[in-house]
């Protein structure tokens, strides 16, 4: 596929292989036209989601709290440029682009660009760690998230070739 020009120049600057968009099985993720501020995340950073995703996330968080289950935001919307900066930082620490791309999507291909994806945390569990799957919060999400429109995007052995991410959930209204 032909990437939008600004995304293509970001890819060129990072040395992302030209066949990335054809060889990776991730869809291109457009940025949303509208974002709203959410509560601050676990690290006290401002975050944004689309209005529908934020409403669904808030309803889900309250429902969980009603059952004494804590879930909180670790990360939500991330811009294409943010993803580019993240990758640049990793490259700066000496990791090759090929290695980076096994754990991070290339700019333009992170589901976080859509403003509908959230990384979820719970107290007493390391952030963005596979052990999240052993928490009460994860169990609750498995049982209840679908009712709020959230699905886990990257289960074990997913078709995208992305590592298992039990903490990453995406909202869809269809
Ligand atoms: Zn994520």
């Amino acid at each position: 596929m032909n990437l939008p020009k600004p995304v293509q120049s970001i890819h060129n600057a990072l040395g992302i292989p030209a066949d990335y968009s054809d060889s990776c099985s991730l869809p291109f993720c457009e940025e949303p036209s509208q974002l709203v501020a959410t509560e601050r995340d676990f690290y006290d950073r401002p975050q944004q989601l689309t209005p529908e995703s934020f409403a669904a996330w808030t309803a889900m968080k309250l429902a969980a709290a009603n059952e004494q289950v804590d879930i909180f935001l670790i990360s939500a919307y991330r811009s294409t440029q943010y993803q580019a900066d993240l990758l640049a930082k990793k490259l700066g620490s000496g990791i090759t682009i090929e290695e980076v791309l096994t754990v991070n999507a290339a700019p333009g291909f992170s589901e976080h660009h859509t403003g509908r994806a959230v990384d979820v945390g719970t107290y007493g569990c390391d952030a963005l760690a596979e052990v999240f799957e052993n928490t009460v919060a994860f169990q609750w999400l498995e049982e209840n998230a679908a009712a709020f429109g959230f699905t886990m995007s990257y289960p074990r052995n997913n078709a995208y070739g992305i590592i298992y991410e039990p903490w990453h959930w995406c909202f869809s209204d269809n």
Side-chain angles (χ1 to χ4, degrees), residues 6-54:
V7 180
Q8 186 61 59
S9 36
I10 287 174
H11 277 219
N12 295 347
L14 290 167
I16 292 169
D19 66 350
Y20 178 86
S21 56
D22 292 322
S23 60
C24 86
S25 44
L26 297 169
F28 183 75
C29 294
E30 299 247 12
E31 300 209 16
S33 55
Q34 207 189 349
L35 288 164
V36 292
T38 70
E39 73 273 25
R40 286 184 169 248
D41 69 18
F42 178 60
Y43 302 106
D44 202 31
R45 300 175 300 190
Q47 291 289 350
Q48 295 174 296
L49 286 170
T50 66
E52 300 77 18
S53 308
F54 180 45

Side-chain angles (χ1 to χ4, degrees), residues 39 49 51-75 116-121 132 136-153 166-172:
E39 73 273 25
L49 286 170
E52 300 77 18
S53 308
F54 180 45
W57 162 253
T58 303
M60 184 164 78
K61 195 177 64 168
L62 290 175
N66 275 336
E67 296 177 41
Q68 283 75 50
V69 176
D70 281 309
I71 52 173
F72 51 73
L73 278 183
I74 292 175
S75 182
R116 291 183 287 105
V118 289
D119 289 336
V120 182
F132 181 70
V136 172
F138 179 73
Q139 199 185 335
W140 189 92
L141 287 168
E142 281 219 303
E143 286 163 14
N144 298 284
F148 297 90
F150 283 89
T151 48
M152 184 174 36
S153 304
W167 61 83
H168 179 109
W169 296 74
C170 192
F171 171 76
S172 169

